[in-house]
Amino acid sequence: FGPGAEASTRRSTLLRTAHSGRGRMSASRSDLLFMAQIAEQAERWDDMREYMSRVAKVGQPLEVFERSMLSQAFKESANARRLALRSVRGYVGASPRVAEYQAKLQAELAECCQGVLDLLPVLISVSTDVEGKVFYLKLTGDYCRYLAEFDSPGAVEKAKQAYEEAMSLATTGLSGHHPGRLGLALNFSVFQNEVLKDRQSAIALAKLTLEQL
Protein backbone atom coordinates (compact mmCIF):
# COMPACT_ATOMS: atom_id res chain seq x y z
CA PHE A 1 0.00 0.00 0.00
CA GLY A 2 1.12 3.56 -0.71
CA PRO A 3 1.11 6.49 1.70
CA GLY A 4 -2.38 7.50 0.59
CA ALA A 5 -3.84 4.08 1.36
CA GLU A 6 -2.11 3.97 4.73
CA ALA A 7 -3.45 7.39 5.68
CA SER A 8 -6.94 6.33 4.62
CA THR A 9 -6.70 3.19 6.77
CA ARG A 10 -5.61 5.21 9.79
CA ARG A 11 -8.49 7.64 9.33
CA SER A 12 -10.97 4.77 9.06
CA THR A 13 -9.58 3.11 12.20
CA LEU A 14 -9.75 6.38 14.10
CA LEU A 15 -13.37 6.96 13.12
CA ARG A 16 -14.36 3.38 14.00
CA THR A 17 -12.69 3.74 17.40
CA ALA A 18 -14.53 6.96 18.15
CA HIS A 19 -17.95 5.69 17.06
CA SER A 20 -17.58 2.28 18.71
CA GLY A 21 -17.32 3.91 22.13
CA ARG A 22 -20.41 6.08 21.88
CA GLY A 23 -22.77 3.39 23.10
CA ARG A 24 -20.95 2.84 26.40
CA MET A 25 -19.39 6.21 27.23
CA SER A 26 -20.83 9.64 27.74
CA ALA A 27 -20.80 11.75 24.58
CA SER A 28 -18.42 14.26 26.14
CA ARG A 29 -15.88 11.58 27.04
CA SER A 30 -16.13 10.02 23.59
CA ASP A 31 -15.66 13.40 21.96
CA LEU A 32 -12.58 14.09 24.09
CA LEU A 33 -11.04 10.75 23.11
CA PHE A 34 -11.85 11.38 19.48
CA MET A 35 -10.26 14.83 19.56
CA ALA A 36 -7.22 13.42 21.35
CA GLN A 37 -6.77 11.02 18.44
CA ILE A 38 -7.16 13.88 15.97
CA ALA A 39 -4.50 15.85 17.87
CA GLU A 40 -2.26 12.77 17.78
CA GLN A 41 -2.61 12.52 14.00
CA ALA A 42 -1.71 16.21 13.75
CA GLU A 43 1.19 15.72 16.20
CA ARG A 44 -0.22 18.48 18.38
CA TRP A 45 1.00 16.98 21.62
CA ASP A 46 0.00 19.82 23.95
CA ASP A 47 -3.54 19.65 22.58
CA MET A 48 -3.58 15.87 22.97
CA ARG A 49 -2.31 16.32 26.51
CA GLU A 50 -5.19 18.67 27.31
CA TYR A 51 -7.84 16.33 25.87
CA MET A 52 -6.46 13.27 27.68
CA SER A 53 -6.21 15.22 30.94
CA ARG A 54 -9.90 15.98 30.69
CA VAL A 55 -10.64 12.31 30.03
CA ALA A 56 -8.63 11.32 33.11
CA LYS A 57 -10.41 13.87 35.28
CA VAL A 58 -13.72 12.10 34.66
CA GLY A 59 -12.53 9.67 37.34
CA GLN A 60 -13.19 6.43 35.48
CA PRO A 61 -10.63 3.64 34.95
CA LEU A 62 -8.79 4.05 31.65
CA GLU A 63 -8.70 1.22 29.15
CA VAL A 64 -5.30 0.05 27.91
CA PHE A 65 -5.37 2.13 24.72
CA GLU A 66 -6.48 5.18 26.73
CA ARG A 67 -3.57 4.74 29.13
CA SER A 68 -1.24 4.58 26.14
CA MET A 69 -2.72 7.77 24.70
CA LEU A 70 -2.34 9.59 28.01
CA SER A 71 1.26 8.42 28.29
CA GLN A 72 2.15 9.38 24.72
CA ALA A 73 0.64 12.85 24.98
CA PHE A 74 2.61 13.78 28.08
CA LYS A 75 5.77 11.99 26.94
CA GLU A 76 5.95 13.82 23.61
CA SER A 77 5.12 17.14 25.24
CA ALA A 78 7.71 16.70 27.99
CA ASN A 79 10.45 15.31 25.75
CA ALA A 80 10.26 18.28 23.40
CA ARG A 81 11.04 20.57 26.33
CA ARG A 82 13.71 18.28 27.81
CA LEU A 83 15.51 18.26 24.46
CA ALA A 84 15.17 22.04 24.19
CA LEU A 85 16.68 22.46 27.67
CA ARG A 86 19.64 20.28 26.75
CA SER A 87 20.17 22.32 23.59
CA VAL A 88 20.32 25.70 25.34
CA ARG A 89 22.21 24.59 28.46
CA GLY A 90 25.62 25.19 26.91
CA TYR A 91 24.76 28.78 26.01
CA VAL A 92 23.43 29.97 29.38
CA GLY A 93 26.59 31.93 30.19
CA ALA A 94 26.58 33.74 26.86
CA SER A 95 23.73 36.10 27.65
CA PRO A 96 21.16 36.84 30.37
CA ARG A 97 18.49 36.32 27.73
CA VAL A 98 19.54 32.68 27.36
CA ALA A 99 19.19 32.17 31.11
CA GLU A 100 15.72 33.71 30.95
CA TYR A 101 14.83 31.39 28.07
CA GLN A 102 16.11 28.39 30.00
CA ALA A 103 13.92 29.38 32.94
CA LYS A 104 10.93 29.63 30.59
CA LEU A 105 11.57 26.12 29.26
CA GLN A 106 11.98 24.75 32.78
CA ALA A 107 8.66 26.31 33.80
CA GLU A 108 6.94 24.72 30.79
CA LEU A 109 8.44 21.32 31.61
CA ALA A 110 7.49 21.65 35.27
CA GLU A 111 3.91 22.49 34.26
CA CYS A 112 3.74 19.44 31.99
CA CYS A 113 5.18 17.12 34.65
CA GLN A 114 2.97 18.47 37.40
CA GLY A 115 -0.03 18.17 35.11
CA VAL A 116 0.31 14.40 34.82
CA LEU A 117 1.40 14.01 38.46
CA ASP A 118 -1.83 15.70 39.57
CA LEU A 119 -3.85 13.15 37.58
CA LEU A 120 -2.08 9.98 38.69
CA PRO A 121 -3.30 9.58 42.31
CA VAL A 122 -6.91 9.39 41.15
CA LEU A 123 -6.05 7.06 38.26
CA ILE A 124 -4.16 4.77 40.65
CA SER A 125 -7.08 4.73 43.09
CA VAL A 126 -9.66 3.75 40.44
CA SER A 127 -7.42 1.25 38.65
CA THR A 128 -8.81 -2.26 38.96
CA ASP A 129 -5.75 -4.32 38.04
CA VAL A 130 -2.07 -4.63 38.92
CA GLU A 131 -0.98 -3.77 35.39
CA GLY A 132 -2.74 -0.41 35.59
CA LYS A 133 -1.36 0.46 39.01
CA VAL A 134 2.18 -0.44 37.93
CA PHE A 135 1.74 1.66 34.79
CA TYR A 136 0.67 4.74 36.75
CA LEU A 137 3.29 4.33 39.47
CA LYS A 138 5.96 4.05 36.78
CA LEU A 139 4.68 7.30 35.26
CA THR A 140 4.86 8.90 38.71
CA GLY A 141 8.51 7.87 38.98
CA ASP A 142 9.28 9.01 35.43
CA TYR A 143 7.84 12.50 35.80
CA CYS A 144 9.33 13.05 39.23
CA ARG A 145 12.65 12.01 37.64
CA TYR A 146 12.19 14.63 34.93
CA LEU A 147 11.55 17.26 37.62
CA ALA A 148 14.66 16.12 39.43
CA GLU A 149 16.73 16.93 36.34
CA PHE A 150 16.55 20.61 37.29
CA ASP A 151 16.65 20.29 41.07
CA SER A 152 12.97 20.29 41.96
CA PRO A 153 12.71 19.92 45.78
CA GLY A 154 11.62 16.45 46.89
CA ALA A 155 11.37 15.06 43.36
CA VAL A 156 14.17 12.51 43.79
CA GLU A 157 12.64 10.91 46.87
CA LYS A 158 9.15 10.87 45.33
CA ALA A 159 10.52 9.19 42.20
CA LYS A 160 12.36 6.60 44.29
CA GLN A 161 9.25 5.80 46.34
CA ALA A 162 7.07 5.45 43.23
CA TYR A 163 9.54 3.20 41.41
CA GLU A 164 10.00 1.00 44.49
CA GLU A 165 6.25 0.62 45.00
CA ALA A 166 5.77 -0.18 41.33
CA MET A 167 8.55 -2.79 41.43
CA SER A 168 7.01 -4.41 44.50
CA LEU A 169 3.64 -4.73 42.75
CA ALA A 170 5.18 -5.84 39.45
CA THR A 171 7.34 -8.51 41.10
CA THR A 172 4.34 -10.21 42.70
CA GLY A 173 1.65 -9.42 40.12
CA LEU A 174 3.25 -9.46 36.66
CA SER A 175 5.27 -12.09 34.83
CA GLY A 176 8.99 -11.56 34.31
CA HIS A 177 8.54 -10.92 30.58
CA HIS A 178 5.55 -8.56 30.91
CA PRO A 179 6.29 -5.37 28.88
CA GLY A 180 5.15 -3.16 31.76
CA ARG A 181 7.52 -4.85 34.19
CA LEU A 182 10.43 -4.70 31.75
CA GLY A 183 9.84 -1.02 31.00
CA LEU A 184 9.64 -0.26 34.69
CA ALA A 185 12.91 -2.09 35.41
CA LEU A 186 14.64 -0.18 32.62
CA ASN A 187 13.48 3.23 33.81
CA PHE A 188 14.17 2.46 37.47
CA SER A 189 17.72 1.36 36.62
CA VAL A 190 18.25 4.56 34.62
CA PHE A 191 17.06 6.54 37.65
CA GLN A 192 19.39 4.63 39.97
CA ASN A 193 22.37 5.18 37.68
CA GLU A 194 21.83 8.74 36.46
CA VAL A 195 20.01 10.41 39.36
CA LEU A 196 21.01 8.47 42.48
CA LYS A 197 24.48 7.76 41.05
CA ASP A 198 24.07 4.20 42.35
CA ARG A 199 25.61 2.21 39.52
CA GLN A 200 25.79 -1.05 41.47
CA SER A 201 22.05 -1.08 42.22
CA ALA A 202 21.27 -0.29 38.59
CA ILE A 203 23.43 -3.19 37.41
CA ALA A 204 21.93 -5.54 40.02
CA LEU A 205 18.39 -4.65 38.91
CA ALA A 206 19.26 -5.19 35.26
CA LYS A 207 20.80 -8.60 36.00
CA LEU A 208 17.83 -9.67 38.12
CA THR A 209 15.42 -8.63 35.41
CA LEU A 210 17.27 -10.72 32.82
CA GLU A 211 17.37 -13.72 35.14
CA GLN A 212 13.61 -13.59 35.63
CA LEU A 213 12.75 -13.55 31.92
Side-chain angles (χ1 to χ4, degrees):
F1 294 102
E6 181 179 351
S8 178
T9 300
R10 292 176 71 186
R11 284 195 298 272
S12 298
T13 301
L14 188 156
L15 290 170
R16 284 199 304 271
T17 300
H19 288 299
S20 67
R22 291 187 180 276
R24 57 185 173 81
M25 293 186 292
S26 66
S28 61
R29 191 172 186 276
S30 293
D31 289 343
L32 290 170
L33 283 169
F34 177 66
M35 289 308 302
Q37 292 175 86
I38 293 295
E40 178 186 13
Q41 295 300 310
E43 297 186 0
R44 294 276 297 180
W45 307 116
D46 288 354
D47 293 340
M48 185 183 181
R49 187 181 87 191
E50 173 62 22
Y51 288 125
M52 289 310 301
S53 293
R54 291 168 65 185
V55 171
K57 288 176 182 176
V58 172
Q60 297 177 7
L62 300 186
E63 297 182 16
V64 173
F65 87 94
E66 294 169 351
R67 293 201 301 254
S68 296
M69 288 177 64
L70 178 78
S71 175
Q72 183 182 9
F74 277 92
K75 179 180 178 181
E76 296 287 354
S77 186
N79 279 351
R81 289 159 174 89
R82 292 174 72 212
L83 289 172
L85 278 167
R86 290 171 186 169
S87 297
V88 305
R89 193 165 291 154
Y91 301 94
V92 171
S95 166
R97 293 185 180 275
V98 179
E100 291 173 1
Y101 188 56
Q102 181 188 45
K104 176 180 181 292
L105 292 172
Q106 286 182 347
E108 289 181 4
L109 177 57
E111 179 186 15
C112 177
C113 293
Q114 196 58 53
V116 70
L117 289 171
D118 287 344
L119 298 172
L120 291 171
V122 172
L123 291 173
I124 292 171
S125 69
V126 300
S127 181
T128 57
D129 55 65
V130 172
E131 181 180 353
K133 291 183 184 297
V134 168
F135 182 90
Y136 296 130
L137 285 166
K138 173 185 170 293
L139 285 187
T140 302
D142 290 344
Y143 284 91
C144 285
R145 172 164 58 94
Y146 299 159
L147 288 175
E149 290 177 348
F150 53 92
D151 197 29
S152 178
V156 173
E157 185 58 31
K158 289 177 182 177
K160 183 172 180 289
Q161 290 175 356
Y163 282 135
E164 287 177 344
E165 185 176 352
M167 283 301 303
S168 177
L169 284 174
T171 301
T172 57
L174 299 178
S175 65
H177 58 268
H178 190 284
R181 182 170 170 178
L182 293 174
L184 169 62
L186 172 62
N187 287 20
F188 191 16
S189 63
V190 168
F191 170 76
Q192 290 173 320
N193 185 52
E194 296 185 356
V195 179
L196 299 182
K197 307 302 181 185
D198 186 354
R199 181 177 175 81
Q200 292 304 314
S201 291
I203 292 173
L205 176 58
K207 288 182 176 178
L208 180 62
T209 301
L210 288 174
E211 291 170 0
Q212 294 177 339
L213 285 176

